[in-house]
Amino acid sequence: MEYQQYNPPHPGEFIKEVYLDPLELSANEVSKKLGVHSSTFGRLISGKSDVSAEMAVKLEAVLGRSAESWLLMQDQYDLADVRSTVDVSGLTAISFQ
């Protein structure tokens, strides 16, 4: 099975490009609103940490997108990353009849 190449952004990159930069918000300002340490939010927007379920709920409350959409964005990013690195060429599909 062949998959279309898709390079979704990390949720942190999305937050930076859609919220921080255009609205001229500082990471420190948003981290305070999220109730997390600035280093925690800094790791997220730099792509060094992932969106957890807890963070997704906090992002929903502060930035407005649903928690599900934040988790889906993280899953899409992770899946694209894995698909680009995992070699499945030696695997054989099970045939269902």
Side-chain angles (χ1 to χ4, degrees), residues 78-93:
D78 292 343
L79 186 56
D81 183 50
V82 168
R83 280 195 171 135
S84 72
T85 60
V86 173
D87 179 11
V88 296
S89 62
L91 304 179
T92 303

Side-chain angles (χ1 to χ4, degrees), residues 13-86:
E13 179 185 347
F14 179 85
I15 291 168
K16 185 169 178 358
E17 292 178 3
V18 173
Y19 296 98
L20 300 185
D21 293 345
L23 300 174
E24 298 180 356
L25 296 169
S26 72
N28 192 39
E29 184 178 357
V30 176
S31 68
K32 285 181 183 176
K33 291 186 178 292
L34 290 168
V36 300
H37 196 276
S38 59
S39 65
T40 300
F41 187 63
R43 284 190 304 276
L44 175 63
I45 62 173
S46 68
K48 293 180 179 161
S49 68
D50 298 339
V51 172
S52 64
E54 180 180 348
M55 181 61 82
V57 170
K58 291 180 177 191
L59 290 169
E60 176 182 60
V62 173
L63 298 180
R65 295 173 58 100
S66 71
E68 292 83 1
S69 72
W70 290 111
L71 291 173
L72 180 59
M73 189 181 301
Q74 184 67 58
D75 284 347
Q76 289 173 336
Y77 175 82
D78 292 343
L79 186 56
D81 183 50
V82 168
R83 280 195 171 135
S84 72
T85 60
V86 173

